[in-house]
């Protein structure tokens, strides 16, 4: 790899992942009556953009161990580490929940003349990634009758959150004894295969493990342990997952390991990619909704997708500077005690 210690290429990969997911959502947009793209062939091609989520998982598998390794992290720093991660994760996430709620309230009340139900318990369950946990227990479901994710992408952040909790506990072990990484890999892959009905860090373990192995190859070069982790993850994806999961796993490893270039626009888009991922449905999605009776929507849908991508970029830009960037500053102020 090039640019060791700078990781400029990671921002480009993040941008690619975020834009891929947005393209999937916009090209498959349905306004309740018809699809933006009537061609099923076009929609089926861009369905693969949804795999950008798995690409994000592989990036996290790489970048979190990278930051822990460079910060000389130890298990005694666990709560400082959580403070650093959650101070970056939660402010933009909470802001997105608030914006979705306020926009829904305003549209329902002032545009459609209805009464908006705030569903506070649903908001709380989403805010702390507890929706699936509550749904698994009838007793808890009785106290949270609304249920469901406010936005489908929130359940992918739940997986990221689980990875943060797990890697903070295990990294000191796998970094000290590499055979523990092999045991961890085998355990995660087996549990993932046998729990595929649940969307958890276990099911998505191959992508995180590919990122972890790519990190160790980046820092230390190839070894038989790192090669075995990569090979086991690829075999698991090929044998037990759908073909596109295997393809994105290979692509993620190649991009993380060998992408040497950086592009100014992609670099900045990668920097705001978390905000973009969070807000593109609110900005680009509502744009497509309110323009669904226009000539361009019906006759030039590709142009409408470009507009939706641009509007989402502007929304992410504002989110980044108003919410995400201040939270990054707070995160950097949390230091591991020597």
């Amino acid at each position: 790899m090039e640019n060791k210690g700078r990781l400029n290429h990671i921002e480009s990969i993040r941008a690619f992942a975020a834009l891929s997911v947005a393209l999937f959502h916009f090209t498959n947009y349905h306004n309740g009556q018809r699809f933006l793209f009537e061609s099923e062939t076009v929609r089926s091609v861009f369905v693969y953009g949804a795999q950008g989520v798995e690409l994000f998982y592989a990036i996290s598998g790489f970048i979190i161990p990278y930051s822990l390794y460079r910060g000389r992290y130890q298990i005694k720093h666990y709560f400082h580490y959580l403070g650093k991660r959650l101070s970056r994760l939660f402010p933009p996430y909470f802001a997105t929940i608030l914006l979705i709620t306020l926009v829904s309230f305003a549209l329902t009340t002032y545009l459609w003349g209805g009464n908006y139900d705030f569903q506070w318990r649903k908001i709380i369950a989403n805010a702390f990634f507890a929706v699936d946990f509550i749904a698994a227990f009838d007793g808890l479901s009785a106290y949270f009758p609304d249920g469901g994710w406010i936005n489908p992408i929130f359940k992918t952040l739940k997986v990221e959150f689980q990875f943060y909790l797990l890697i903070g506990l295990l990294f000191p072990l796998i970094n000290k004894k590499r055979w523990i990484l092999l045991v961890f890999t085998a355990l995660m892959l087996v549990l993932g295969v046998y729990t595929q009905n649940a969307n958890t860090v276990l099911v998505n373990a191959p992508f995180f493990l590919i990122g972890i192995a790519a990190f160790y190859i980046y820092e230390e070069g190839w070894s038989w342990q790192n090669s075995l982790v990569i090979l086991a993850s690829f075999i698991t994806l090929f044998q037990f997952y759908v073909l596109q999961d295997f393809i994105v796993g290979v692509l993620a490893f190649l991009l993380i390991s060998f992408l040497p270039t950086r592009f100014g626009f992609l670099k900045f888009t990668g920097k705001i990619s978390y905000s973009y991922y969070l807000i593109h449905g609110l900005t680009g999605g509502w744009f497509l909704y309110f323009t669904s009776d226009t000539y361009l929507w019906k006759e030039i849908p590709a142009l409408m997708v470009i507009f939706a991508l641009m509007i989402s970029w502007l929304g992410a830009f504002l989110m980044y500077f108003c919410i995400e960037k201040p939270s990054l500053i707070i995160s950097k102020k949390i230091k591991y005690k020597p």
Side-chain angles (χ1 to χ4, degrees):
M1 289 189 208
E2 297 182 7
N3 300 323
K4 187 168 183 176
R6 298 180 66 183
L7 302 184
N8 292 315
H9 67 301
I10 293 295
E11 300 296 355
S12 295
I13 302 171
R14 279 178 170 151
F16 176 72
L19 292 171
S20 296
V21 174
L23 275 171
F24 158 63
H25 287 143
F26 296 154
T27 54
N28 284 268
Y29 181 82
H30 191 276
N31 69 348
Q33 297 179 335
R34 64 187 291 262
F35 284 101
L36 175 61
F37 282 90
E38 294 183 347
S39 171
E40 187 175 347
T41 301
V42 172
R43 298 199 305 271
S44 63
V45 168
F46 284 100
V47 160
Y48 293 101
Q51 302 300 126
V53 172
E54 284 74 24
L55 188 52
F56 271 125
Y57 294 157
I59 293 170
S60 292
F62 177 91
I63 203 67
I64 302 302
Y66 174 88
S67 63
L68 295 177
Y69 184 88
R70 292 300 175 94
R72 299 184 178 182
Y73 171 79
Q74 300 177 36
I75 192 63
K76 65 182 179 181
H77 302 138
Y78 183 69
F79 291 105
H80 289 82
Y81 153 76
L82 285 184
K84 288 176 70 69
R85 298 312 310 173
L86 299 187
S87 63
R88 299 180 67 170
L89 177 72
F90 277 138
Y93 177 57
F94 290 159
T96 303
I97 293 176
L98 178 62
L99 284 172
I100 290 174
T101 303
L102 292 178
V103 170
S104 299
F105 167 76
L107 292 176
T108 301
T109 304
Y110 300 109
L111 183 62
W112 299 320
N115 294 319
Y116 183 74
D117 181 8
F118 277 97
Q119 298 181 327
W120 293 110
R121 285 175 288 188
K122 181 177 182 178
I123 293 173
I124 293 171
N126 275 259
F128 296 100
F129 306 119
V131 172
D132 293 338
F133 179 78
I134 291 170
F137 296 93
D138 293 335
L140 289 175
S141 298
Y143 293 99
F144 293 86
D146 302 326
W149 292 97
I150 294 173
N151 189 318
I153 68 170
F154 289 172
K155 60 185 177 182
T156 66
L157 297 180
K158 174 202 70 174
V159 175
E160 289 272 357
F161 177 66
Q162 292 173 350
F163 177 70
Y164 294 163
L165 296 177
L166 185 63
I167 196 65
L169 293 172
L170 293 177
F171 182 76
L173 296 175
I174 63 178
N175 190 51
K176 188 175 181 180
K177 301 289 185 181
R178 210 50 50 86
W179 65 266
I180 297 180
L181 174 61
L182 298 179
V183 173
F184 173 65
T185 297
L187 184 63
M188 292 285 284
L189 293 178
V190 171
L191 290 175
V193 168
Y194 281 97
T195 59
Q196 288 195 36
N197 292 329
N199 182 38
T200 65
V201 67
L202 297 175
V203 174
N204 295 283
F207 305 107
F208 290 111
L209 290 168
I210 287 169
I212 293 172
F215 156 70
Y216 278 116
I217 293 171
Y218 175 83
E219 283 293 339
E220 303 170 354
W222 286 89
S223 68
W224 69 269
Q225 295 98 328
N226 298 331
S227 302
L228 190 57
V229 173
I230 292 291
L231 182 61
S233 299
F234 284 166
I235 291 174
T236 301
L237 287 172
F238 184 80
Q239 187 69 31
F240 300 103
Y241 292 69
V242 295
L243 180 60
Q244 53 263 39
D245 284 340
F246 171 74
I247 293 174
V248 78
V250 174
L251 178 64
F253 177 73
L254 293 177
L255 288 175
I256 293 173
S257 301
F258 302 110
L259 184 66
T261 58
R262 61 171 178 164
F263 309 95
F265 175 76
L266 280 182
K267 181 184 177 183
F268 185 77
T269 302
K271 185 177 292 187
I272 66 172
S273 61
Y274 179 44
S275 293
Y276 195 101
Y277 184 68
L278 284 171
I279 209 171
H280 75 272
L282 184 64
T283 50
W286 279 116
F287 165 76
L288 291 177
Y289 176 83
F290 283 110
T291 58
S292 60
D293 290 329
T294 64
Y295 171 81
L296 291 178
W297 205 94
K298 297 174 182 177
E299 301 298 330
I300 316 179
L303 186 59
M304 298 304 291
V305 169
I306 294 173
F307 286 155
L309 291 170
M310 293 172 62
I311 290 171
S312 297
W313 195 93
L314 291 175
F317 179 85
L318 292 174
M319 171 78 84
Y320 176 79
F321 277 99
C322 294
I323 306 294
E324 188 178 356
K325 189 174 182 179
S327 70
L328 288 171
I329 294 173
I330 294 173
S331 174
K332 291 179 180 179
K333 290 182 179 179
I334 302 175
K335 302 292 184 180
Y336 300 145
K337 293 181 180 180

